[in-house]
Amino acid sequence: MPSEKVLASKKEQVAALAEKLKNVPSAVLIDYKGITVADDTALRREMREAGVEYAVVKNSILKFALAEAGYADSFNDVLEGATAIAYCESDAVAAAKIAAKYSDNLKDVFNLKAGFLEGKVLDAAGITALGKLPSKEQLIAQLLSVLTGNIRGLAVALNAIAEKQTEEQSA
């Protein structure tokens, strides 16, 4: 039987992680078993630069934290072996993008397990699809490009009409 001190420490870890999971739009669970130190260092650096929190967590603590965050029994089947969790408070797809990229590059040793987005549980395929979505900035740029393209076309058409009328008046 664990001591009171150890139990209190674990309860604090669960409460802290559960609070974070309640406040993030998405999270990704990762099987990192076998990743090299160099790849892990590069992964952690990229996650840190993107504002993503990445941590290796004991499955029992993660299970209780997920249950407390409202995902009771949703991830029990994937909480086996080595598990890491990645999440970002400001960008819903940042963790999935980076994790999906590393999963593609390190197929044998770095695998996506599952995750969630805005309260919806996603499997590994769902996380991969989420990771392949363009970023918010890219989507905004694409939308602005479409909008300005129509306005640009209208301006060119109006200019052509004005030039034609000028030519007719001068002739």
Side-chain angles (χ1 to χ4, degrees):
M1 180 92 183
S3 70
E4 284 294 318
K5 188 176 181 180
V6 171
L7 278 176
S9 170
K10 288 184 179 184
K11 285 181 182 179
E12 286 176 19
Q13 290 175 0
V14 168
L17 183 58
E19 190 60 36
K20 287 180 182 181
L21 294 177
K22 289 177 188 175
N23 296 322
V24 296
S26 67
V28 180
L29 300 178
I30 302 161
D31 177 6
Y32 65 92
K33 188 176 179 182
I35 190 170
T36 65
V37 173
D39 288 334
D40 188 51
T41 302
L43 169 71
R44 288 176 185 270
R45 181 181 309 114
E46 191 170 342
M47 293 256 191
R48 192 173 35 256
E49 289 170 357
V52 176
E53 290 190 48
Y54 174 80
V56 174
V57 182
K58 291 183 81 170
N59 287 329
S60 58
I61 290 175
L62 189 54
K63 179 181 177 180
F64 288 119
L66 285 165
E68 198 173 308
Y71 299 99
D73 301 327
S74 298
F75 297 102
N76 288 348
D77 55 331
V78 296
L79 291 178
E80 297 174 355
T83 304
I85 186 166
Y87 52 88
C88 180
E89 290 183 22
S90 60
D91 188 352
V93 296
K97 281 186 148 325
I98 296 169
K101 181 178 92 173
Y102 275 83
S103 178
D104 285 345
N105 294 341
L106 306 169
K107 291 185 191 312
D108 297 332
V109 294
F110 190 86
N111 299 302
L112 303 176
K113 288 184 170 187
F116 64 85
L117 173 66
E118 299 293 339
K120 183 181 178 198
V121 176
L122 302 172
D123 61 359
I127 295 297
T128 301
L130 180 63
K132 295 189 187 229
L133 286 175
S135 69
K136 183 178 179 181
E137 292 78 19
Q138 290 171 326
L139 289 173
I140 290 171
Q142 289 173 356
L143 176 64
L144 290 175
S145 174
V146 168
L147 293 175
T148 58
N150 292 338
I151 294 170
R152 189 177 311 117
L154 177 62
V156 168
L158 291 174
N159 189 33
I161 292 170
E163 286 177 3
K164 186 175 181 181
Q165 287 177 347
T166 306
E167 288 175 8
E168 289 174 358
Q169 289 175 354
S170 63

